[in-house]
Amino acid sequence: MSLLRACGNCLFIGVLSEEGLNPGIVNVGAIFSFNTINGKVAKVAMKAAEEDINSDPSVLGGRKLSIQLHDSNFSSFLGIIGALQFMETDTVAIIGPQSSEMAHVLSNLANELQVPLLSFTALDPSLSPLQYPFFVQTAPNDEFQMTAIAEMVSYFSWSEVIAIFSDDDQSRNGIITLGDKLAERRCRISYKAPLPPGPTAKRVDVLRELDKIQMMESRIIVLHSFSRTGLLVFEAAKSLGMMGKGYVWIASTWLSTVLDSFSPLKREIANSIQGALTLRPHTPDSKRKRNFMSRWNQLSNGSIGFNPYGLYAYDTVWMIARALRLLLDQGGKISFSNDSRLDGISGSTLNLSALNAFDGGKLLLSKILETNMTGLTGHVQFNQDRSLINPSYDIVNAVGNGQRLVGYWSNHTGLSIVPPETLYSEKPNRSSSNQHLDKVVWPGGETARPRGWVFPNNGRELRIGIPRRVSYRDFVLLVNGTDKVQGYCIDVFLAAIKLLPHAFPYRFIPFGDGHKNPSYYELVNKIKSGVFDGVVGDIAIVTNRTRIVDFSLPYIESGLVVVAPVKKISSSAWSFARPFTPLMWAVTAAFFLIVGSVVWILEHRRNDEFRGPPKQQFITILWFSFSTMFFSHRENTVSTLGRLVLIIWLFVVLIINSSYTASLTSFLTVQQLSSPIKGIDTLIGSNERIGFQVESFAEGYLMEELNIPKSRLVPLGSPEEYALALERRNVAAVIDERPYVDLFLSEHCEFSVRGQEFTKSGWGFAFPRDSPLAIDMSTAILSLSENGELQKIHDRWLSKSACSSENSEDDIEQLDLKSFWGLFVICGIACMLALLVYFWLMFRKFSRLPPEELDTTSPSTSRSTRLQTFLSFVDEKVEKPKSSSKRKRESMSRNGYHINDESPHRSGRMDRNMSQNGDSWLTQ
């Protein structure tokens, strides 16, 4: 029965064998339903191709093309009979059929007889070349059309569509492909409405499906059918008011053939399709195409308007003619042989033994697939998967009595407002920022993008679940004895729905027994099970909940914090010492003494300010060391090493002074609160018991993420239980979300937040997965935030007088050694290197002294005596070297020379002086 419903449309090309009556004639058979739009257009185009081919003898090497027509009159049975009759006459190729259902049947026949089968209208994506190797689609198949529709849906930010389609192979498989393409873009088909296939669909069938669709959320409707059924759907939709504001209709290429072939449209048809979008196969502009279109009225005698499928019909005939010429030019022959499997079949009036297999079928098929020509449709070439290269579509908007082009789609760059052929030379760019379309006039005359969905028109209010809380009722409060609900979360929700561009029928349904706070996971799970259409309240957005529902954007920030008892620390006489830890004080004091001692050693021999009696020198070291703290040291340093050490030390002192001053200021000006609990890390590293709000996600987080044993966790049900447990030391701290804690601390100043929030999240409204309401509510929340209304609601409910406990002793930590150890290491290394260099130079000078200057005349001088002599040498006062000019004048005066008299040995003395003073620069 399915074969009888399909429209078989086949074009056969046959060449008589050498024994035929007229071997110079190439016979062409066409099987079409010539009352269809594409049947009429194909007839005209094929006759034009026949005329053009026969006018050029070089195309078929002198042979003539003769087309014979057979009208199947919408009957698949007649189409199959006609196909078998043509195949009895040695057919070399078949153009057709018109429907994919017939293509599945005839492709098996073509495979067996090795006859290439070409179609420009049977574009079912499931017609695989692996299963049907002799079937070739000479127009872009529906996979590309469905990709274009999916990208349009994504471009306009819609998430759900409803598909109406004829329940035949081509339309059904096209919708399956559409579902796959939408899923790739995180969209989906929410409902599929099949209609009886072909001309059997009746108005009552259409109205039945449209009545269902009217009750659904989505207003994006994709119509994939044929012209007769499609126009029937639009007419019925118009009568039901479904072509008005808020609806979006996207029709496949069938509608563009109607718009192109019947211009101007009848008034009733034009009125029923206003605002619809459709696709048209894109064919680049060319001189040949314009010339052909100018001939159309003459060719068709005004019987049918032109549409792009006429171009594909014309090019398909030329494609076969060129392939035949190549086959013949390369020495191929057109011959047929009987199929032995058909011999001996009796009991049938059909002459099945006359069905011959085409010996050159495989070679002809290969020549067809190697086609590389410029036709009326543009550049014609197949890629490796046997589909045409560069598939593209025009996107057309039905407006008035005609149409308006709003853009293009191509497999190269997606949606654009420039012709695809101008972009093929550029690199593919499918980014969202590169997708563009002109403005569309939607159904109802609107130019603003429709929302794409409404609440179902089934008279049912949305069931909004709310938690029946027994604590922290400032967030959600059910007024006793009434149905009234109020609270911070409720006010935010009510303010948000006022900003929605549609009515929002709802009713609140409390969840919980009223004796304890309900389980929020169970509450959210009620959405998944269909009990609630949404949940409003203090619902934290956490991972396990996002797996089952969609949340709006958070309307308040939240996160887990630690609350613990604190005690106030009053100022004392020793407050000045609190910025540094004891170890830091000790190391700092030690370095003051070390640096002072090192500078004294480096300056002692040459600097009179570092010489004197031992007591005076000790006082000098102490004074110099600690006076550098205030940069008030009076002693000058004259040696290079001493200055180097002092510069580094003064830098260290500057950093320490600045840090101390800042820290002391904070300690003396900020209220000081003390607690052994420093934050969550303190609790993790201890064995103390921890309180949490009953039925909160905090319990699962502490056990699963922080690995805290359940035995340490204590459930608490109210702020009063928090305070009692903390005061009695039943728990060391309570962990809860920040909004709850802020309310708790507004009445309990003896507690404080310890440390920082250790999770980051927020509260949002929950809705079913893929519900567009989550997006709308998120937009409304953003608007509330931008216009300040969200803050006003927060101030009205949650801004209560709070204790000044934000800053505490733990927030102002003491400065310890680890913050400065790098500076001390650098200073220590500088001191050590300076001392090593200094003593190396002293030892070098000491070793060069003549023996008579050393008090070691006896060879048996002990090591201790030499050490004492060395220390005495180091302790000796060294006069500051005079300038070279002054030394020269004094030397010349002692020897009776005038200034201008030069001694011939002057240079020698200068060399000796330089030798004696060569090592003195580092100690100066």
Side-chain angles (χ1 to χ4, degrees):
M1 292 300 295
S2 61
L3 295 179
L4 296 177
R5 291 195 300 266
C7 295
N9 310 290
C10 304
L11 164 67
F12 297 93
I13 299 178
V15 178
L16 297 180
S17 63
E18 295 180 354
E19 292 76 12
L21 297 177
N22 193 346
I25 299 296
V26 177
N27 294 318
V28 176
I31 300 177
F32 268 85
S33 295
F34 290 117
N35 287 331
T36 64
I37 295 175
N38 286 338
K40 294 177 181 180
V41 170
K43 176 181 177 181
V44 174
M46 288 186 295
K47 281 295 183 180
E50 174 194 20
E51 179 182 346
D52 293 343
I53 291 172
N54 289 337
S55 65
D56 185 358
S58 64
V59 176
L60 288 176
R63 292 177 173 84
K64 294 293 183 178
L65 191 68
S66 175
I67 296 180
Q68 301 177 5
L69 304 177
H70 177 80
D71 189 354
S72 62
N73 195 24
F74 297 100
S75 171
S76 295
F77 176 73
L78 293 179
I80 294 173
I81 296 299
L84 292 174
Q85 289 175 345
F86 278 113
M87 285 186 176
E88 291 178 359
T89 59
D90 295 344
T91 301
V92 296
I94 303 172
I95 298 179
Q98 187 172 343
S99 69
S100 295
E101 187 170 353
M102 277 300 301
H104 284 280
V105 176
L106 295 184
S107 292
N108 289 297
L109 182 61
N111 290 345
E112 295 298 327
L113 299 181
Q114 297 189 4
V115 177
L117 181 65
L118 294 85
S119 177
F120 52 88
T121 54
L123 304 175
D124 183 355
S126 68
L127 288 165
S128 168
L130 297 177
Q131 183 179 4
Y132 305 113
F134 279 84
F135 179 77
V136 181
Q137 294 171 328
T138 59
N141 74 32
D142 283 350
E143 177 182 357
F144 301 107
Q145 182 178 195
M146 296 304 141
T147 302
I149 294 176
E151 292 199 5
M152 290 167 60
V153 171
S154 177
Y155 172 79
F156 289 111
S157 300
W158 299 316
S159 59
E160 293 186 358
V161 303
I162 293 174
I164 303 177
F165 60 97
S166 295
D167 196 12
D168 54 44
D169 287 351
Q170 181 157 331
S171 297
R172 187 189 315 110
N173 292 330
I175 293 302
I176 292 174
T177 302
L178 175 62
D180 295 338
K181 299 301 179 181
L182 288 172
E184 293 174 4
R185 293 156 180 82
R186 298 182 64 103
C187 307
R188 69 186 185 97
I189 298 176
S190 60
Y191 178 72
K192 296 179 181 179
L195 298 174
T200 61
K202 299 295 188 288
R203 179 181 173 86
V204 63
D205 301 319
V206 174
L207 290 174
R208 184 186 305 112
E209 291 297 334
L210 291 181
D211 284 338
K212 297 178 183 178
I213 293 172
Q214 270 190 312
M215 309 296 286
M216 299 177 183
E217 289 186 7
S218 179
R219 287 295 182 260
I220 313 300
I221 302 173
V222 176
L223 179 55
H224 187 40
S225 182
F226 299 98
S227 57
R228 183 186 179 280
T229 303
L231 291 177
L232 181 61
V233 171
F234 274 119
E235 186 273 328
K238 176 71 174 178
S239 67
L240 294 175
M242 297 177 66
M243 294 302 298
K245 180 180 178 181
Y247 282 90
V248 174
W249 288 82
I250 302 176
S252 53
T253 53
W254 69 266
L255 181 56
S256 67
T257 63
V258 174
L259 293 172
D260 291 334
S261 302
F262 302 102
S263 181
L265 292 173
K266 294 181 180 179
R267 180 180 297 275
E268 56 271 19
I269 295 178
N271 290 340
S272 66
I273 63 174
Q274 288 297 300
L277 289 175
T278 184
L279 300 176
R280 176 200 296 128
H282 175 75
T283 55
D285 186 32
S286 66
K287 184 177 180 180
R288 288 186 62 199
K289 175 183 173 182
R290 291 194 298 271
N291 291 339
F292 183 78
M293 293 175 64
S294 66
R295 296 168 52 198
W296 186 261
N297 285 333
Q298 179 183 356
L299 295 171
S300 65
N301 294 320
S303 62
I304 189 67
F306 171 81
N307 73 55
Y309 288 102
L311 303 179
Y312 286 106
Y314 184 93
D315 281 355
T316 301
V317 176
W318 272 93
M319 194 182 302
I320 295 177
R322 287 174 179 267
L324 283 170
R325 179 57 189 268
L326 289 174
L327 181 146
L328 296 172
D329 288 347
Q330 295 178 10
K333 293 183 179 180
I334 300 175
S335 61
F336 298 83
S337 59
N338 292 329
D339 191 336
S340 60
R341 293 174 298 177
L342 298 177
D343 295 339
I345 297 180
S346 59
S348 173
T349 59
L350 293 176
N351 187 16
L352 297 179
S353 61
L355 300 178
N356 297 326
F358 181 24
D359 297 330
K362 290 185 178 179
L363 181 58
L364 180 61
L365 176 64
S366 67
K367 298 304 178 184
I368 292 173
L369 296 177
E370 292 172 4
T371 298
N372 188 357
M373 71 178 192
T374 300
L376 298 185
T377 59
H379 185 62
V380 180
Q381 186 178 359
F382 295 95
N383 56 26
Q384 292 182 351
D385 63 0
R386 295 173 50 167
S387 62
L388 291 175
I389 64 172
N390 299 326
S392 56
Y393 294 89
D394 299 337
I395 301 175
V396 179
N397 187 196
V399 179
N401 288 328
Q403 55 186 287
R404 173 174 168 266
L405 184 66
V406 297
Y408 306 89
W409 177 90
S410 73
N411 200 40
H412 183 73
T413 56
L415 302 174
S416 68
I417 56 176
V418 297
E421 57 269 18
T422 64
L423 303 174
Y424 291 148
S425 60
E426 303 176 4
K427 291 183 178 180
N429 186 352
R430 305 298 289 271
S431 64
S432 58
S433 61
N434 198 51
Q435 308 298 295
H436 303 286
L437 290 177
D438 283 337
K439 287 187 177 180
V440 177
V441 179
W442 304 102
E446 294 290 322
T447 57
R449 180 189 70 87
R451 298 174 35 78
W453 70 280
V454 296
F455 286 100
N457 187 22
N458 54 15
R460 181 178 65 83
E461 295 177 327
L462 292 181
R463 300 158 299 176
I464 304 298
I466 58 173
R468 190 191 297 272
R469 294 196 59 91
V470 296
S471 63
Y472 293 116
R473 303 178 72 185
D474 299 78
F475 297 106
V476 179
L477 172 63
L478 279 74
V479 180
N480 293 332
T482 68
D483 295 332
K484 185 177 180 180
V485 183
Q486 60 187 26
Y488 169 71
C489 302
I490 302 300
D491 281 5
V492 172
F493 174 74
L494 296 178
I497 63 175
K498 291 179 181 178
L499 300 179
L500 298 179
H502 54 77
F504 190 100
Y506 70 93
R507 61 188 176 95
F508 289 127
I509 302 177
F511 177 78
D513 57 12
H515 301 293
K516 65 177 182 178
N517 293 332
S519 168
Y520 278 52
Y521 181 80
E522 293 181 7
L523 174 59
V524 170
N525 200 52
K526 293 294 183 181
I527 297 177
K528 181 180 179 181
S529 61
V531 175
F532 295 141
D533 300 308
V535 168
V536 171
D538 45 340
I539 313 297
I541 304 174
V542 293
T543 304
N544 63 343
R545 297 173 187 172
T546 58
R547 295 191 180 104
I548 58 176
V549 297
D550 281 349
F551 281 93
S552 68
L553 287 177
Y555 55 86
I556 186 174
E557 292 184 356
S558 180
L560 294 178
V561 294
V562 177
V563 179
V566 293
K567 61 179 180 179
K568 185 175 180 180
I569 301 177
S570 57
S571 298
S572 67
W574 297 98
S575 294
F576 71 89
R578 291 171 61 193
F580 289 165
T581 61
L583 180 60
M584 178 65 183
W585 277 117
V587 172
T588 303
F591 262 84
F592 272 110
L593 296 176
I594 291 171
V595 172
S597 301
V598 171
V599 173
W600 176 84
I601 293 172
L602 299 176
E603 296 289 324
H604 178 67
R605 296 192 75 218
R606 295 184 175 275
N607 196 335
D608 291 336
E609 295 180 347
F610 287 88
R611 296 190 65 83
K615 181 178 180 180
Q616 179 182 344
Q617 293 181 51
F618 179 72
I619 293 174
T620 299
I621 292 175
L622 293 178
W623 166 256
F624 178 82
S625 299
F626 291 100
S627 63
T628 56
M629 181 186 300
F630 310 102
F631 304 97
S632 60
H633 51 285
R634 296 176 301 176
E635 295 78 10
N636 294 320
T637 52
V638 296
S639 68
T640 302
L641 291 174
R643 290 174 178 175
L644 178 62
V645 171
L646 185 59
I647 288 174
I648 296 175
W649 174 243
L650 290 178
F651 175 73
V652 175
V653 170
L654 175 64
I655 300 299
I656 293 175
N657 264 344
S658 301
S659 302
Y660 175 84
T661 303
S663 182
L664 181 61
T665 301
S666 299
F667 271 105
L668 295 179
T669 57
V670 177
Q671 179 184 4
Q672 301 302 304
L673 301 175
S674 176
S675 171
I677 305 299
K678 308 299 182 183
I680 186 62
D681 292 335
T682 304
L683 294 175
I684 294 175
S686 70
N687 292 320
E688 300 286 350
R689 290 160 64 84
I690 303 171
F692 67 93
Q693 185 178 171
V694 64
E695 299 297 348
S696 167
F697 78 93
E699 179 183 15
Y701 181 85
L702 294 174
M703 290 192 301
E704 297 171 7
E705 301 296 332
L706 302 184
N707 298 318
I708 295 177
K710 186 175 183 179
S711 58
R712 291 179 53 195
L713 302 180
V714 179
L716 302 172
S718 66
E720 293 75 19
E721 292 185 22
Y722 287 11
L724 191 61
L726 290 170
E727 289 171 355
R728 294 180 176 179
R729 299 296 189 265
N730 292 336
V731 296
V734 170
I735 292 179
D736 206 348
E737 295 180 74
R738 191 61 186 248
Y740 301 127
V741 170
D742 289 341
L743 279 182
F744 174 72
L745 294 180
S746 67
E747 300 177 357
H748 298 275
C749 298
E750 65 274 23
F751 309 111
S752 175
V753 173
R754 316 308 296 158
Q756 303 297 321
E757 293 183 10
F758 56 93
T759 66
K760 291 291 184 181
S761 62
W763 292 353
F765 304 132
F767 299 98
R769 293 298 299 269
D770 300 321
S771 171
L773 188 56
I775 299 175
D776 272 10
M777 291 298 289
S778 297
T779 303
I781 290 170
L782 284 177
S783 299
L784 291 175
S785 177
E786 292 171 358
N787 62 26
E789 184 64 25
L790 194 60
Q791 185 62 43
K792 292 178 182 178
I793 298 174
H794 180 277
D795 295 341
R796 184 164 62 247
W797 284 97
L798 305 181
S799 292
K800 299 183 179 181
S801 57
C803 305
S804 301
S805 59
E806 288 299 316
N807 296 309
S808 66
E809 185 185 39
D810 297 323
D811 298 319
I812 309 171
E813 296 183 354
Q814 286 183 302
L815 301 175
D816 54 16
L817 183 59
K818 68 180 180 181
S819 302
F820 300 94
W821 71 269
L823 290 174
F824 287 126
V825 168
I826 293 173
C827 186
I829 292 174
C831 292
M832 185 179 299
L833 290 177
L835 288 176
L836 289 174
V837 172
Y838 176 79
F839 282 111
W840 178 75
L841 292 174
M842 290 299 99
F843 179 77
R844 185 181 177 195
K845 286 183 178 182
F846 178 74
S847 64
R848 290 182 178 181
L849 290 177
E852 59 270 15
E853 294 186 17
L854 299 173
D855 189 16
T856 57
T857 56
S858 173
S860 60
T861 303
S862 65
R863 292 184 179 180
S864 61
T865 303
R866 289 182 62 86
L867 177 60
Q868 291 176 1
T869 304
F870 175 72
L871 293 177
S872 298
F873 169 75
V874 172
D875 187 54
E876 287 180 357
K877 175 71 170 68
V878 177
E879 296 295 337
K880 182 178 180 182
K882 298 178 181 180
S883 65
S884 60
S885 60
K886 185 174 180 180
R887 289 198 305 270
K888 181 175 69 174
R889 289 194 298 270
E890 291 178 353
S891 175
M892 295 176 67
S893 175
R894 288 195 301 269
N895 292 283
Y897 290 99
H898 296 290
I899 297 176
N900 293 329
D901 293 335
E902 296 272 346
S903 171
H905 302 289
R906 179 185 175 200
S907 60
R909 291 196 304 270
M910 291 177 65
D911 291 342
R912 288 193 297 272
N913 291 336
M914 292 178 65
S915 176
Q916 292 175 0
N917 298 320
D919 298 328
S920 64
W921 68 275
L922 286 171
T923 58
Q924 291 180 357

